[in-house]
Amino acid sequence: MGVEPLSDGSSELAGLREALSRRVRGEVRFDAGSRGAYSTDGSNYRQVPLGVVVPRDVDAGAEAVAVCAEFGAPVLSRGGGTSLGGQCTNAAVVIDWTKYCNRLVSVDVGRRTCVVEPGIVLDELNRQLSSEHLKFGPKPSTHSHCALGGMIGNNSCGASAQAYGKTVDNVRRMEILTYDGMRCWVGPTSKEEFEEILGAGGRRAELYQDLKDIIDRYMGDIRLRYPDIPRRVSGYNLDSLLPENGFDVARALVGSEGTLVTVLRAELDLVPVPPYEAMVVLGYSDICAAADDVPALLEHCEPELLEAIDGRMAQLMRAEGAYLASLDRFPEGESWLLVQFSGDTKEAVDAQAHDLLSALGRRENDSTVTFSDDPQREQQMLKAREAGLGVTARPPDGRETWEGWEDSAVPPDRLGDYLRDLKRLFAEFGYDHPSLYGHFGQGCVHTRIPFALKTAEGVEQFRTFLFRAADLVASYGGSLSGEHGDGQARGELLSRMFGDAVVAAFGEVKAAFDPDDRMNPGKVVAPHRVDENLRLGPLWRPRTHSTEFGYPEDEHSFTRAVMRCVGIGNCRSHKGGVMCPSYRATGEEEHSTRGRSRLLFEMLEGHADSAVTDGWRSTEVKDALDLCLSCKGCKSDCPVGVDMATYKAEFLSHHYARRLRPAAHYSMGWLPLWARLSRYTPRLVNAALSAPGLARAGKRLAGVAGKRDAPVFAEQSFVQWWAARGLQEPDPADPRTVVLWPDTFSTYFHPAVAKAAVRVMEDAGFQVAVPLDAICCGLTWISTGQLATAKRTLRRTLGVLRPWIEAGTPIVGLEPSCTAVFRSDAPELLPEDQDAKRLATQFRTFSELLLNDAPEGWQPPRLARTATVQTHCHQHAVMKYDADQELMRRAGIEADVLDEGCCGLAGNFGFERGHYEVSMTIGEQGVLPAVRNAASHSMVLADGFSCRTQIDQCDTGRRAMHLAEALALSLDGVLPADHPEKSTERPRAPKRDAWMLTAAVAAIACTATGATYGCLRRMSRR
């Protein structure tokens, strides 16, 4: 008897929400923010979910399904949410397994198996298995963030499937749950076990008998219509139920995309980690010629992977300045095949590579050949291949490219001809120059096509193309999908590949498992049309927004900037890089760069059912952005260059327009002003900031976390020290002149950094100038979204700097976040100001100046020390760290540059009330333990004021210093490791003054508070 489907009535939804909240151990969310964050995946499709459940354990997840069944609510089981076919978006209750249900349950080293929960990420699984020298074989390019449950749902593959097969080939058993509550382990079924299941009766017996009857009826069609190719991912794996394949129910369910069952646990086969690898890269005149050579390669070798990159992708990388180090290692050619071998010895893998070259008539030293048996070098080259989706998604020529026909597969020996026909089809439809790349060793072709998905004509052309392309790949005996599955993108096309009989069998299997069509409905079986539920489409009408930033790389459009996110999901990674620290701390989709992008997209209100309906005033968007650290890690680490720090500043500017802001926006957002005012009585200011009682009250008033210590103002600022030197200002036109930027942090808090920089630059032969006027980059106003004030500040600063700008004088920044403002933010805030553009080209980091502009023959002082180095996030994102590493090398510093992500403080973020715990969680995930574990004789270097402050305040037992300080001490013959206190000198608050000041200030605090707050409120409205 069927279950009545859940209606849209608010009472029924409220009842569902209440029952889930009461009965499910976990987090139940039906709010607009959560629904918006899960409204789409990596595909062209969008459906707003009913709600989201984040179960605490697999049993809680099973209970969530039971509750949904009672209400007739559809269910969508979701892992990393990176699917490109629309499998992970639905008007259903989304169950997100990744936050809590992510355990490696057990490992059997002898049998080379493990049992996992569905939310465990592939890289994390392999990290936990590394001590046993085992791994899960298939490795998609999303390995840093794809979940095993999602890999099972999509039958994921990746480059390593050349050696290890698809996910289906590596699954032994699965614990499953049907919508109507049957829960059991399934796998291969012998005749004896089958009879036992039937004899036991019940739902499982009924299901197994139905499956056998379906296979018996359609056996001939399945054997005839299933292509015998390595990359058939489309359709249900009904061939796994054939007698010769052991009636394997587990493998039949792999790739069913959550439309049949919920997977609760899985037993997986593991493979040994190969101790040695070697790679050959072969250059070709074009991608079709490379494809033509694939059969010959496979005839002579059995590689671990055989990947392809075409010249179009390389062109895009060069245009975007991305992965250039990878491309530099490639040989001559316009397209390339990457062939990797693995083995037990270096000699064995080298021999495989050389044997292949000999068979192909090539040699290692040919200009069209690159050979490597260096693992780091090979990983560098493979990064270019893994970057394919991101690099091709938003090319610099302004075109938008989309999924839809991004992973077709044919027999490898017919690949070259298929590519030629596919190119002709592109030309017929006017889809010029799509990049072609992929897993050529298994005949799988990746591409992104410039479909016009915003007009009715373009959408109709998109639909027509897909049917033509489906017929083309079927004519080659291929598969609609060779990796990403069907979902909505290819569900409607399955009959072109399998024929009506096999598609009818899919429907019968769906009815056997899920008779009421409640499991991820509208995908694979009885699918929505390929042109329905589009994320854009001809009915998409986003609001037009006037903005403060110029968005020059996005056609000056905030909407286009938000659309940069295509759902790749690298922001959900757990190790390496900077992006996205708040997601790493919380595990929440809405705290990832992708989740925030989704909410901003919903805020555009382009659809009638937009989850966010109050635009810039949206509380949901504000809450999602609240934990964004504005670290800018996404600007560099996101494959499509999403810059969430800029989007956050833009949003805050509009959200608080003509409204009272949080106190922290006035206290820390206006920090440069308070720092200048501190010059009148720095000792009393410091005393007030550290006075018992008074400091606590002040933190509450200022919106500062109670557990944070306020940084101490220096008694003499750097600018005061500089003015006291009484030096004549050098001529701006003198090539030896350089301007040292007096940032707020180096001037008022750590002047020793700026003094050290002067010492080193003068030693290098520069004549240093320092502006004495009150100027600022506007960083703190930008990060708090006070963009009108930031613009006024920047214009004033440009006026002060104009003589040096006109002379082309290098201007040096010591604080990375301030340098990043001038290199990135200022030109976007003032897009028509030519001085802002000129200044961006003249602004240098300290290391860039010394490496590129120092007089010939100058060498940095030698330290001969090891150092643990934390790179500031803004430097990582905007200026990069290559110059710093080279300067340290020349100075004899053996640098361990941490790859542990953000320190967690991130300017004002870690000081704001409500952020302390997240700030500390982020720091403790990598940076702080690394500093504690640094050798006692090793220096700790951190150029960022935030990084140094976090290290100083978080019980690391170490004090970090700026690179300029280390070099200056060496000039004086003082080695930092020998004199740690001197090398890390910091101003300290006068404790006696603090106690004396408490009573004196308490009497006037209340009166001053009211007056100051009213003044700030008036200032914010101007």
Side-chain angles (χ1 to χ4, degrees):
M1 183 175 178
V3 179
E4 287 296 322
L6 184 72
S7 76
D8 291 334
S10 59
S11 61
E12 289 184 289
L13 281 174
L16 173 63
R17 181 174 64 249
E18 188 279 329
L20 287 168
S21 300
R22 175 168 41 85
R23 292 170 50 182
V24 175
R25 293 186 306 278
E27 298 161 14
V28 176
R29 306 167 186 164
F30 279 62
D31 61 283
S34 296
R35 294 170 64 231
Y38 287 84
S39 61
T40 188
D41 48 13
S43 72
N44 297 327
Y45 302 99
R46 169 190 173 275
Q47 291 177 272
V48 180
L50 300 176
V52 178
V53 176
V54 185
R56 290 275 179 179
D57 51 54
V58 293
D59 291 336
E63 183 66 12
V65 175
V67 173
C68 289
E70 292 176 14
F71 282 81
V75 172
L76 166 58
S77 218
R78 176 160 153 157
T82 59
S83 294
L84 297 177
Q87 300 95 321
C88 287
T89 175
N90 215 321
V93 173
V94 174
I95 301 178
D96 185 344
W97 300 95
T98 55
K99 185 174 182 180
Y100 299 117
C101 301
N102 52 24
R103 292 191 308 135
L104 170 58
V105 178
S106 63
V107 181
D108 188 326
V109 176
R111 295 173 63 236
R112 290 182 182 168
T113 63
C114 70
V115 175
V116 299
E117 293 178 340
I120 191 168
V121 169
L122 176 59
D123 273 4
E124 183 58 31
L125 170 63
N126 286 337
R127 267 193 289 273
Q128 294 186 42
L129 293 170
S130 61
S131 61
E132 305 295 344
H133 306 288
L134 295 172
K135 67 177 181 177
F136 186 67
K139 186 180 181 182
S141 60
T142 53
H143 52 85
S144 68
H145 50 282
C146 66
L148 265 294
M151 291 182 66
I152 291 169
N154 280 2
N155 194 10
S156 298
C157 308
S160 63
Q162 185 77 39
Y164 304 120
K166 305 184 291 289
T167 295
V168 67
D169 303 311
N170 296 270
V171 171
R172 286 203 178 187
R173 299 186 306 144
M174 297 195 304
E175 185 184 13
I176 64 164
L177 174 72
T178 60
Y179 188 77
D180 57 12
M182 186 195 77
R183 181 173 176 176
C184 64
W185 282 86
V186 297
T189 314
S190 66
K191 291 182 179 179
E192 294 76 17
E193 185 180 0
F194 186 84
E195 292 301 326
E196 288 178 10
I197 292 171
L198 292 188
R203 175 73 169 102
R204 188 179 185 188
E206 176 186 318
L207 178 61
Y208 272 57
Q209 185 62 64
D210 285 347
L211 293 176
K212 185 177 186 305
D213 291 344
I214 294 168
I215 294 302
D216 288 345
R217 287 199 307 276
Y218 292 99
M219 190 176 297
D221 294 295
I222 294 170
R223 287 173 173 156
L224 177 66
R225 296 305 298 259
Y226 272 61
D228 184 18
I229 60 175
R231 282 299 185 103
R232 195 277 305 158
V233 172
S234 278
Y236 292 152
N237 293 327
L238 300 189
D239 53 339
S240 294
L241 296 174
L242 293 172
E244 60 267 30
N245 293 326
F247 200 80
D248 194 328
V249 178
R251 292 190 174 187
L253 292 171
V254 172
S256 58
E257 303 177 2
T259 62
L260 301 179
V261 299
T262 298
V263 177
L264 301 178
R265 296 182 182 88
E267 183 179 10
L268 310 174
D269 285 320
L270 304 175
V271 296
V273 176
Y276 294 93
E277 292 176 332
M279 179 179 287
V280 171
V281 183
L282 305 171
Y284 294 88
S285 58
D286 63 53
I287 196 64
C288 296
D292 289 336
D293 223 13
V294 166
L297 269 67
L298 295 176
E299 180 182 348
H300 294 292
C301 68
E302 296 182 0
E304 183 176 25
L305 61 82
L306 202 173
E307 301 289 285
I309 295 176
D310 73 347
R312 172 61 176 165
M313 185 189 294
Q315 177 189 10
L316 293 174
M317 289 180 185
R318 293 188 179 103
E320 296 176 28
Y323 303 97
L324 299 182
S326 301
L327 289 181
D328 288 344
R329 300 181 185 278
F330 281 22
E332 289 182 4
E334 291 300 320
S335 294
W336 299 269
L337 293 179
L338 290 73
V339 191
Q340 189 172 61
F341 304 92
S342 62
D344 294 331
T345 66
K346 180 175 180 296
E347 292 73 20
V349 295
D350 287 357
Q352 292 180 69
H354 289 120
D355 288 348
L356 173 63
L357 290 174
S358 178
L360 296 176
R362 300 201 196 191
R363 295 171 298 181
E364 182 181 335
N365 58 358
D366 285 354
S367 62
T368 59
V369 173
T370 293
F371 168 79
S372 173
D373 54 13
D374 177 352
Q376 289 187 338
R377 187 182 183 192
E378 292 166 41
Q379 288 304 312
Q380 188 74 42
M381 290 188 285
L382 283 174
K383 283 182 179 179
R385 164 56 196 87
E386 289 187 354
L389 194 160
V391 170
T392 58
R394 292 293 180 268
D397 59 13
R399 296 187 309 165
E400 296 172 344
T401 65
W402 303 100
E403 300 79 26
W405 194 252
E406 79 288 343
D407 70 324
S408 56
V410 298
D413 59 358
R414 305 190 66 187
L415 182 57
D417 289 339
Y418 171 67
L419 291 183
R420 292 181 183 90
D421 281 345
L422 186 59
K423 281 189 167 188
R424 281 190 281 270
L425 191 62
F426 289 156
E428 179 183 339
F429 279 79
Y431 298 144
D432 295 332
H433 307 304
S435 176
L436 295 167
Y437 60 101
H439 314 293
F440 276 22
Q442 294 192 312
C444 183
V445 181
H446 289 325
T447 187
R448 287 179 65 92
I449 301 171
F451 297 122
L453 296 181
K454 299 176 186 175
T455 66
E457 181 184 8
V459 171
E460 179 59 31
Q461 187 181 48
F462 160 72
R463 177 180 174 81
T464 303
F465 171 85
L466 292 183
F467 278 87
R468 290 279 303 280
D471 290 339
L472 173 64
V473 80
S475 73
Y476 274 88
S479 176
L480 307 175
S481 171
E483 182 157 32
H484 301 149
D486 300 316
Q488 184 175 344
R490 285 166 284 274
E492 192 185 5
L493 308 173
L494 287 174
S495 62
R496 317 292 271 227
M497 171 183 168
F498 288 105
D500 292 338
V502 172
V503 170
F506 293 162
E508 292 186 30
V509 169
K510 169 75 167 173
F513 279 97
D514 179 30
D516 298 300
D517 193 20
R518 300 287 81 195
M519 299 294 294
N520 203 9
K523 318 294 178 179
V524 186
V525 170
H528 300 295
R529 287 165 50 108
V530 297
D531 52 351
E532 290 181 303
N533 302 320
L534 290 172
R535 187 149 56 98
L536 302 180
L539 300 181
W540 182 61
R541 294 182 178 87
R543 293 174 57 192
T544 301
H545 299 277
S546 60
T547 57
E548 298 288 350
F549 282 95
Y551 304 102
E553 296 180 0
D554 292 293
E555 299 177 355
H556 306 287
S557 166
F558 179 74
T559 297
R560 184 170 170 81
V562 168
M563 286 173 56
R564 275 183 172 270
C565 178
V566 294
I568 297 171
N570 284 14
C571 47
R572 289 171 54 98
S573 63
H574 294 76
K575 293 285 185 181
V578 172
M579 179 180 69
C580 174
S582 52
Y583 173 77
R584 292 181 183 181
T586 69
E588 294 287 349
E589 175 72 15
E590 72 173 28
H591 294 151
S592 68
T593 304
R594 182 180 70 181
R596 294 180 177 118
S597 294
R598 293 291 177 256
L599 283 171
L600 288 169
F601 180 85
E602 292 293 312
M603 189 192 79
L604 299 175
E605 299 181 61
H607 291 279
D609 64 342
S610 293
V612 177
T613 59
D614 46 358
W616 295 116
R617 297 300 195 198
S618 169
T619 301
E620 294 85 5
V621 177
K622 177 182 72 69
D623 290 346
L625 290 170
D626 180 58
L627 292 188
C628 171
L629 282 77
S630 298
C631 68
K632 283 190 175 288
C634 49
K635 185 177 176 68
S636 61
D637 292 1
C638 173
V640 292
V642 169
D643 185 359
M644 192 53 62
T646 294
Y647 308 165
K648 176 182 179 179
E650 185 76 63
F651 175 84
L652 292 177
S653 175
H654 295 274
H655 185 79
Y656 288 111
R658 297 176 299 280
R659 301 168 86 185
L660 189 65
R661 288 173 167 271
H665 287 199
Y666 301 113
S667 60
M668 286 173 281
W670 288 70
L671 178 64
L673 174 61
W674 311 139
R676 287 197 291 275
L677 292 176
S678 75
R679 293 306 86 207
Y680 292 107
T681 56
R683 287 181 61 86
L684 288 179
V685 171
N686 287 331
L689 291 173
S690 59
L694 183 60
R696 286 194 297 273
K699 289 176 186 178
R700 284 195 296 271
L701 179 66
V704 173
K707 295 182 180 180
R708 283 290 179 192
D709 293 331
V712 177
F713 289 102
E715 292 194 18
Q716 182 188 43
S717 74
F718 165 67
V719 172
Q720 288 173 321
W721 171 83
W722 178 262
R725 295 182 78 189
L727 300 179
Q728 182 177 353
E729 184 175 288
D731 181 359
D734 190 321
R736 296 172 298 170
T737 298
V738 59
V739 176
L740 180 59
W741 173 253
D743 66 84
T744 297
F745 310 100
S746 301
T747 296
Y748 298 106
F749 295 102
H750 291 176
V753 171
K755 295 176 188 177
V758 170
R759 175 79 174 87
V760 176
M761 289 190 292
E762 289 179 340
D763 177 77
F766 291 106
Q767 296 185 23
V768 181
V770 176
L772 298 180
D773 297 87
I775 54 177
C776 181
C777 68
L779 168 67
T780 56
W781 285 289
I782 293 172
S783 63
T784 53
Q786 300 179 78
L787 300 183
T789 304
K791 286 182 176 182
R792 289 195 297 271
T793 301
L794 281 169
R795 289 191 181 101
R796 185 177 188 281
T797 293
L798 291 171
V800 173
L801 295 179
R802 187 158 290 122
W804 291 294
I805 295 174
E806 292 174 349
T809 305
I811 302 174
V812 179
L814 300 175
E815 173 57 38
S817 55
C818 298
T819 304
V821 168
F822 288 114
R823 295 271 279 261
S824 177
D825 297 306
E828 291 194 28
L829 275 172
L830 305 173
E832 304 303 322
D833 194 309
Q834 294 303 312
D835 279 342
K837 295 178 182 178
R838 295 184 185 105
L839 184 57
T841 65
Q842 291 174 226
F843 223 94
R844 313 276 199 274
T845 69
F846 177 69
S847 296
E848 287 170 345
L849 177 84
L850 294 176
L851 278 183
N852 303 323
D853 298 310
E856 186 175 352
W858 180 81
Q859 289 295 322
R862 298 283 298 178
L863 277 84
R865 282 290 187 274
T866 60
T868 297
V869 184
Q870 168 64 6
T871 308
H872 191 283
C873 295
H874 288 193
Q875 177 138 9
H876 169 90
V878 178
M879 292 85 71
K880 311 305 179 187
Y881 207 64
D882 295 344
D884 300 74
Q885 290 185 292
E886 176 60 18
L887 181 63
M888 288 188 289
R889 186 192 67 79
R890 295 185 187 182
I893 300 173
E894 185 179 334
D896 174 19
V897 180
L898 299 177
D899 187 21
E900 298 290 352
C902 182
C903 72
L905 192 60
N908 58 291
F909 176 85
F911 278 96
E912 290 183 11
R913 187 165 54 240
H915 292 170
Y916 179 78
E917 287 74 17
V918 171
S919 173
M920 293 304 299
T921 298
I922 293 168
E924 293 295 349
Q925 285 179 334
V927 174
L928 299 178
V931 170
R932 293 187 191 105
N933 293 332
S936 59
H937 61 274
S938 178
M939 298 181 292
V940 177
L941 298 180
D943 284 0
F945 174 79
S946 293
C947 305
R948 294 196 300 273
T949 301
Q950 183 82 319
I951 291 169
D952 289 354
Q953 291 193 359
C954 292
D955 193 30
T956 62
R958 305 297 298 269
R959 288 206 169 197
M961 68 177 115
H962 195 286
L963 177 59
E965 293 179 284
L967 295 178
L969 287 170
S970 181
L971 279 175
D972 296 330
V974 179
L975 296 180
D978 296 334
H979 296 277
E981 288 304 314
K982 180 176 180 180
S983 67
T984 57
E985 180 181 347
R986 298 283 184 269
R988 298 177 182 275
K991 298 299 182 182
R992 181 179 299 177
D993 289 353
W995 283 99
M996 293 174 62
L997 188 66
T998 302
V1001 173
I1004 62 172
C1006 293
T1007 303
T1009 296
T1012 302
Y1013 204 56
C1015 178
L1016 288 173
R1017 182 172 181 175
R1018 289 191 296 274
M1019 291 167 65
S1020 70
R1021 290 176 172 175
R1022 291 177 184 171

